[in-house]
Amino acid sequence: KASELVSGLSGNDTFRVSCQRLAKKFPLTSRDVCVQLGEKLRAVTPARVRMASPTVDVGIEVIDGGFYLMVSRTEGPGGMPVGSQGRVLALIEDEASVLAGILMLKRGCLVIPAMLNNVDFSLLRVFACGHEVLQENVASLQELGELAEKHKVNSVVLNDCFGSIREIGLNVLVLRPLSGLNKEEIKIELQYLSDSNRS
C-alpha cells in the first residue's frame, strides 16, 4: 500500500517516511519502521529520499497492531471529541456568544444554542463536527432555567468577557469561556475561525 502512495513520483520528486507508534508493544522502534519502509519504497520509485520538505511525506501510524498510512494531514479544530463531556445550553446573543459556544465544543461539550437574538450561528454548526445542533429560542434570561430543565443540562454558557460579568440568578452552573478575553481579542479569534473555515 505504501508503494502505491509513491508510485506516481518522478526522479525530480522526493519523499520521506514518518512513523508514530501509539502501540508501544510493537517490536520495532519508529526509526526502524521508517528505515525498513524507506528502503522498500526506494526500490519502487525513482524519487529521492529527502528529510526536509519532501514532495511526499509517507506517514505511518502503528495503532493496536494495525498500520495506518497517509500522505497528508488536515488540521481539525483541536480539543476533545464533541459530546464527550456532556451537553450545555449556550445563550446566543451576538457573535461573541457564538465564539463562547465554539470554545465549549472544543472542550468536548455538545452545545444547544438558546437564541435570544437573531444571530448567524453557522460557525457553531461547522465546529459541531457533524453533530446535530438543536436550536431553541428564548425571550429572556429567565427562560434559560426552564430550557436547561427541559434538556436535562446543568450548565449554561454566557458570552461574558473581561470586565462584564453578570449574575443571572439561575440554579445551574454558569460557564464563561470568554471571561479572560477582551473585546478586541474576541474579534480577532472570531475572524481567525471564520477565515480557517473558508480555507
Side-chain angles (χ1 to χ4, degrees):
K1 284 295 180 187
S3 299
E4 293 174 15
L5 300 177
V6 297
S7 63
L9 298 180
S10 71
N12 295 326
D13 292 315
T14 57
F15 78 95
R16 77 172 177 194
V17 178
S18 303
C19 178
Q20 181 176 1
R21 289 180 315 131
L22 299 178
K24 298 301 182 189
K25 291 182 180 177
F26 186 71
L28 299 176
T29 66
S30 295
R31 184 179 184 289
D32 291 339
V33 172
C34 291
V35 168
Q36 290 186 26
L37 183 57
E39 286 174 0
K40 293 190 182 302
L41 296 182
R42 280 185 45 213
V44 298
T45 181
R48 297 168 288 122
V49 174
R50 182 175 179 188
M51 299 311 286
S53 303
T55 307
V56 173
D57 184 359
V58 178
I60 184 166
E61 291 190 358
V62 183
I63 304 172
D64 296 330
F67 294 90
Y68 296 85
L69 292 166
M70 67 204 86
V71 290
S72 66
R73 292 179 184 261
T74 302
E75 288 296 319
M80 300 175 75
V82 173
S84 66
Q85 303 302 306
R87 298 183 304 161
V88 296
L89 195 62
L91 181 65
I92 306 296
E93 304 173 86
D94 54 17
E95 286 185 327
S97 304
V98 174
L99 176 60
I102 290 170
L103 292 177
M104 295 312 300
L105 286 166
K106 290 179 76 169
R107 288 179 175 97
C109 296
L110 189 58
V111 173
I112 302 167
M115 306 299 292
L116 184 62
N117 297 320
N118 187 19
V119 177
D120 177 12
F121 68 102
S122 56
L123 262 183
L124 199 60
R125 291 186 192 278
V126 170
F127 283 90
C129 300
H131 289 271
E132 186 177 6
V133 177
L134 302 171
Q135 173 186 344
E136 293 280 5
N137 294 311
V138 293
S140 67
L141 290 174
Q142 285 64 42
E143 288 182 29
L144 286 175
E146 297 167 22
L147 209 50
E149 196 173 304
K150 172 185 169 185
H151 287 283
K152 296 182 174 51
V153 298
N154 60 4
S155 302
V156 172
V157 179
L158 299 180
N159 68 352
D160 295 352
C161 63
F162 187 72
S164 64
I165 304 294
R166 57 196 155 152
E167 293 298 323
I168 60 170
L170 294 177
N171 194 23
V172 294
L173 176 66
V174 178
L175 303 171
R176 297 176 173 93
L178 305 181
S179 61
L181 302 175
N182 62 38
K183 290 182 180 179
E184 186 60 29
E185 291 168 323
I186 291 170
K187 185 177 174 183
I188 291 168
E189 187 66 24
L190 277 166
Q191 187 62 52
Y192 170 75
L193 292 172
S194 295
D195 291 347
S196 66
N197 179 47
R198 285 190 209 106
S199 56

